[in-house]
Amino acid sequence: MKIIDSFNNKKVIFSFEIFPPKGDTPIEKIYDTLEEISSLGGDYISVTYGAGGSVRDNKTVEVSSLIKNKYGVESLSHLTCINSTKDNLDEIINKLNENNVRNILALRGDIPESGETKGDFKYAYELIGYLKEKVDFGIAAACYPEGHFQCENLHDDIIRLKEKVDCGVDYLITQLFLDNNIFYNYLDRITKARINVPIEAGIMPVINKRQIQTISKLCGATIPEKFIKIISKYEHSKEALRDAGIAYAVEQIVDLLSSGVRGIHLYTMNNPYVAKKILENVNSIIKSINE
Ligand code: FAD
């Protein structure tokens, strides 16, 4: 099934993102996490894509296939193109197809610090065009409420996004944000640019200090005053910080749901406890919207 069908059948959808075991860590290490997250009843689970290159050196395809075929939940396989040749991409696409995984989050990926890339494509829109020619898959793409860090201004960022969507994107998932007003302003700009596909809001529950450094380093998301206050108050207690992080994410989600968001994409960081607590808090709201 294409994930866009869920958007078409429901007013709002809820999904989870996980990452596959890294390096030499065996695939079995993720079984418990998969089992727990799959049982929560989300619309789909997405699996990030790390290592560039062939099927052999990353576990994204295998984990996406397990979600779909063993746990019976729709899966969305992330795929980056910046460091992959068409042959590498074909290998992955064929493997996904054989395993009945028919949804891809088509991404460029980050350019390595050396600036050297060995892929056949420079941008996500080229990968999307390639996928559209080759397979009848559901295709999602990424978008950035605060602008992609390499785009010179927010106006150009939206123009690039529109070009990307016009290549055949079904729906978009946002980079994480911690201030809903940033997302609402972004939706206004997207609507004005006549981008009409559903947008899923990417929410990351911040439950430890390490994540905060990652957020500022990787995506430069604005960190609101209210959030800083919470972190500095509870940073010395693991449990208090975790619970405050869950509460913050729940508050963000309730506000988004009440404002008519089409989907919530939860960056779970492979933590089923946190994913479960959050969904428990918003499940009745989602049900009532979809009734
Ligand atoms: P693009 O849409 O290609 O945009 C990249 C930059 O190029 C932007 O600045 C854009 O404005 C610019 N641009 C686009 N078209 C043109 C053009 N024609 N001419 C000039 N400039 C142009 N990374 C991973 O490695 N693995 C993952 O699993 C992963 N999952 C992600 C999931 C989500 C929801 C998000 C939001 C990001 C994810 N990323 C992942 C990070 C992503 O790969 C990086 O943010 C990357 O730098 C950009 O990818 P993109 O697909 O948005 O690129």
Side-chain angles (χ1 to χ4, degrees):
M1 190 186 105
K2 289 184 184 175
I3 290 167
I4 190 64
D5 296 338
S6 297
F7 281 103
N8 292 336
N9 293 331
K10 290 180 170 185
K11 291 199 176 103
V12 65
I13 74 162
F14 198 99
S15 60
F16 301 104
E17 178 171 308
I18 59 162
F19 53 82
K22 289 181 182 145
D24 293 333
T25 312
I27 191 93
E28 292 78 18
K29 283 278 175 201
I30 201 169
Y31 284 2
D32 288 349
T33 305
L34 282 185
E35 181 137 9
E36 286 182 66
I37 293 184
S38 302
S39 70
L40 297 179
D43 288 280
Y44 73 88
I45 300 173
S46 86
V47 187
T48 64
Y49 183 92
S54 73
V55 171
R56 281 177 293 280
D57 54 23
N58 83 77
K59 302 186 186 82
T60 304
V61 173
E62 205 175 343
V63 173
S64 306
S65 171
L66 277 170
I67 292 167
K68 171 86 187 180
N69 301 305
K70 183 167 179 209
Y71 298 102
V73 177
E74 205 52 63
S75 62
L76 171 72
S77 211
H78 297 206
L79 180 61
T80 66
C81 62
I82 194 76
N83 260 326
S84 293
T85 62
K86 285 183 186 170
D87 284 348
N88 296 148
L89 294 169
D90 287 348
E91 191 186 2
I92 289 169
I93 297 164
N94 291 339
K95 201 82 197 161
L96 288 172
N97 205 15
E98 279 165 24
N99 283 285
N100 205 21
V101 176
R102 305 274 158 74
N103 291 284
I104 287 181
L105 176 61
L107 298 152
R108 183 194 69 177
D110 283 324
I111 298 173
E113 271 173 27
S114 68
E116 276 174 43
T117 56
K118 56 178 169 56
D120 286 327
F121 301 128
K122 273 173 77 180
Y123 298 108
Y125 80 86
E126 296 169 278
L127 172 62
I128 292 159
Y130 187 68
L131 289 169
K132 291 301 277 185
E133 271 175 26
K134 294 216 89 140
V135 280
D136 182 24
F137 279 18
I139 298 179
C143 66
Y144 303 84
E146 301 189 58
H148 183 261
F149 71 101
Q150 282 172 325
C151 201
E152 280 178 11
N153 57 64
L154 295 177
H155 178 255
D156 288 1
D157 196 65
I158 295 276
I159 290 175
R160 299 298 181 206
L161 182 65
K162 167 86 173 137
E163 286 164 5
K164 180 159 82 170
V165 170
D166 288 347
C167 289
V169 171
D170 295 332
Y171 73 102
L172 295 163
I173 308 177
T174 75
Q175 178 66 279
L176 70 95
F177 55 89
L178 294 161
D179 176 349
N180 287 357
N181 286 327
I182 290 174
F183 176 75
Y184 298 138
N185 289 336
Y186 186 60
L187 282 189
D188 283 348
R189 284 186 282 124
I190 279 197
T191 311
K192 280 190 190 122
R194 296 204 180 88
I195 297 171
N196 298 318
V197 294
I199 319 277
E200 250 197 299
I203 297 296
M204 182 186 277
V206 180
I207 54 156
N208 60 52
K209 280 206 293 185
R210 199 166 22 90
Q211 270 176 284
I212 301 159
Q213 282 146 10
T214 314
I215 290 174
S216 1
K217 201 171 135 215
L218 285 187
C219 69
T222 301
I223 311 219
E225 272 299 313
K226 183 175 153 190
F227 185 81
I228 295 169
K229 203 159 85 185
I230 292 174
I231 301 301
S232 29
K233 181 94 178 163
Y234 305 115
E235 63 183 348
H236 303 297
S237 162
K238 216 172 139 194
E239 284 77 25
L241 185 56
R242 181 198 63 198
D243 290 349
I246 291 173
Y248 191 94
V250 167
E251 196 185 320
Q252 260 195 292
I253 295 170
V254 171
D255 180 61
L256 289 163
L257 291 170
S258 312
S259 306
V261 74
R262 291 300 321 279
I264 302 288
H265 187 66
L266 194 70
Y267 295 107
T268 71
M269 306 304 288
N270 289 16
N271 188 326
Y273 173 86
V274 171
K276 185 165 183 256
K277 285 280 167 202
I278 290 176
L279 195 56
E280 274 171 7
N281 271 286
V282 298
N283 228 345
S284 60
I285 301 173
I286 292 172
K287 277 199 185 124
S288 89
I289 294 172
N290 281 328
E291 258 164 25

